[in-house]
Every structure is written in C-alpha cells, then in structure tokens.
Amino acid sequence: MKKIFLSCVSVILSCVIIFNFSTQEASAHHVKVTLDGMELKKGQIGSIYIKKSTKIYNYIDGKLVFYKTAKVKEKYRVYKVNEGTKTYSIGSKQYIKISDKNITYKKVPKSQYDKVNTVHDYAYRGTYWGDSISQVKKIVKSKLEGSDGDWLMYKTETFGYKSATHYFFEKNKLENVMVSFELEDGYYSLGNMRRIHDTLYPKLKKELNTRNEGFTNENGTSTTWNLKSRSVHLSIYDNKYYETKLGILYSPPEE
C-alpha cells in the first residue's frame, strides 16, 4: 500500500511547476520543551534554582537596586549572562547576581535550546514540518489505518470526498503529506477531470487562506501554490494503468 502511494507522490511531484506567491497563512511555530518541570522559552539559555531566599534587582541609573526577594524552591529563566554587571538577566528587566551563593545556575543543553529556537513551518491541519511521528499521532484525531517506521496513513474525509491522508517522515521528521481521494469511477474523461478539479480548487484555496490564484496547467487539471510555509499541489491525472487519481500533495516551501 505504501509503495503505491509513494509512486503517486512521485507522479504529482513531477507535475509541480514552481511559482512564487505571497500568502496570508500562519507560517511557523516553536517546539515545546520542558526541562526540570519548567517550559523552556525562546531565547532562554539557562535556569536559576533558589536554594535560600535571595535578592532580585532592577538596574537603574547604572546601579543595581533591590526589587524583591526570590523565595526558596522558586525557578527563574535566564536569557543572558551580563559580564559587565556580573548578573543573570531573568526577564522583565530583573537581575540576579552571578556571585549569589543562594542559587544554582543550570545551562540549557544545546540540543534542547536548538529544539525551542528552531522555527518549523506549517504543514497541514495542525501539523508542522519537522514534527515527529509521536507528535503527529497526538494531533491527528482520525482513524489510523496503516503505519511503519516512516509513514502514517489515516482514514479521512476531505472536501466532501472519502480520502486517506498519508504522512511521510525522514529520520522521524515530517517531510510530506499526501491526501489521496476515493473516486467513484475508475476512469474519468478530461472534461470530468476538469470539473472535479474546479470543484476542489476554491475549497482548497479557501483552506490555504491565500488570495493568490496559484498556477493551473493548460489542461485545467492541476494547480500549484508555492506559499510561505509550504508548497501545495492539487492534481487529478491518469496513471499508466488508465486509472484516474486525485490527490493533494503538501511539501516544505521551495527555497
């Protein structure tokens, strides 16, 4: 089953014509990572753990001025180490002295830092490029019909058609999404293929949230959008067995 759909993906990819269009769609998110019970934030380089009550400062007119007391067992995020003032920046213009003996400073591991600060573009219906298999499984609520080490297939319904949605992974990172539709007949004339394309086109365009028309081929059977966060290709075509196939391929954006 997987091999069949991989061949369909190859066919659709061979039809894609690259065009540049702007888009209004949401484009990116950051992976949520928890370290020692506290969610890491973008730009966070470390954490401070309070062993004994200690002082938090503001920096006013070139001087550290007492602001409030940090209590035992509290945790603070660190965004910068200030060599000049010998302080840790903990956000909101607040500081803790590096020399403070009542704290423990722990640096965020590079692997965790990179996860939080790497931007992931939007892929398809709540998923993002680079999502792991386990992340996609948590997001997709449809019935899982098939899977292996780098592929998931869900039974879905898309734009009024019965369909199967395939998620393809490379090294446990989401690489492509293919929606394949179930057609009532095995073979359709060119006129009927155009009709099906024209029925799906406005629905897909609306879901993509773009004002751009995309690029439609001369047969009127496929349209490609190259958007900010993804390339999208709607296509209805005949395979070598004279069977009509209908699918939408979502791929990472063209560079």
Side-chain angles (χ1 to χ4, degrees):
M1 178 68 73
K2 177 186 172 185
K3 291 182 179 179
I4 294 174
F5 284 105
L6 281 174
S7 65
C8 293
V9 170
S10 298
V11 171
I12 290 181
L13 279 173
S14 68
C15 299
V16 173
I17 301 175
I18 299 171
F19 259 62
N20 291 313
F21 300 104
S22 62
T23 178
Q24 297 174 315
E25 64 177 2
S27 63
H29 80 153
H30 300 270
V31 173
K32 289 185 178 180
V33 176
T34 300
L35 184 64
D36 294 335
M38 183 166 59
E39 182 182 339
L40 295 183
K41 296 293 185 181
K42 183 181 178 183
Q44 181 184 346
I45 62 170
S47 301
I48 285 176
Y49 303 83
I50 307 301
K51 298 186 293 184
K52 293 183 180 180
S53 295
T54 194
K55 295 179 179 179
I56 294 177
Y57 299 87
N58 289 143
Y59 195 68
I60 302 174
D61 296 330
K63 296 181 180 180
L64 290 173
V65 179
F66 173 74
Y67 173 63
K68 68 177 183 178
T69 298
K71 299 179 180 179
V72 178
K73 295 185 179 181
E74 287 184 338
K75 302 175 185 178
Y76 293 88
R77 298 179 178 90
V78 175
Y79 297 95
K80 186 179 180 181
V81 177
N82 305 293
E83 297 298 337
T85 59
K86 305 298 181 182
T87 58
Y88 296 112
S89 294
I90 61 173
S92 301
K93 298 182 180 180
Q94 297 172 27
Y95 306 88
I96 293 177
K97 289 182 178 179
I98 293 175
S99 60
D100 196 321
K101 302 298 183 182
N102 296 324
I103 67 170
T104 297
Y105 171 72
K106 185 175 181 180
K107 186 177 180 180
V108 174
K110 185 179 183 303
S111 61
Q112 304 291 73
Y113 179 88
D114 289 344
K115 284 183 180 180
V116 172
N117 289 277
T118 299
V119 173
H120 296 267
D121 288 320
Y122 189 75
Y124 177 72
R125 295 191 176 182
T127 62
Y128 291 77
W129 304 125
D131 280 353
S132 66
I133 292 174
S134 62
Q135 286 175 316
V136 171
K137 284 183 175 180
K138 290 179 182 179
I139 294 166
V140 180
K141 304 303 181 183
S142 301
K143 182 180 178 181
L144 182 64
E145 290 283 302
S147 66
D148 66 13
D150 57 4
W151 168 72
L152 298 173
M153 182 182 72
Y154 290 90
K155 184 177 182 180
T156 53
E157 184 172 315
T158 308
F159 304 137
Y161 286 84
K162 291 182 180 179
S163 58
T165 301
H166 307 259
Y167 296 85
F168 298 96
F169 301 82
E170 179 70 28
K171 296 181 179 178
N172 200 29
K173 293 182 179 180
L174 183 61
E175 287 270 309
N176 290 286
V177 180
M178 174 73 179
V179 180
S180 57
F181 294 82
E182 294 183 18
L183 297 175
E184 292 182 358
D185 299 326
Y187 178 78
Y188 287 77
S189 66
L190 180 58
N192 282 332
M193 289 167 66
R194 288 171 177 163
R195 177 183 56 79
I196 294 172
H197 171 276
D198 292 346
T199 298
L200 289 183
Y201 172 89
K203 297 178 180 179
L204 177 57
K205 183 173 178 288
K206 181 179 180 181
E207 181 174 278
L208 295 177
N209 190 30
T210 180
R211 290 193 296 264
N212 293 291
E213 303 300 322
F215 179 80
T216 301
N217 68 355
E218 61 182 10
N219 288 332
T221 56
S222 71
T223 299
T224 300
W225 289 267
N226 192 25
L227 306 174
K228 184 177 180 180
S229 73
R230 52 190 172 166
S231 293
V232 182
H233 187 68
L234 165 66
S235 182
I236 181 166
Y237 59 95
D238 291 330
N239 65 13
K240 63 181 179 180
Y241 302 108
Y242 297 101
E243 294 174 325
T244 300
K245 299 293 183 180
L246 172 62
I248 305 172
L249 176 66
Y250 299 80
S251 303
E254 298 291 341
E255 297 181 356

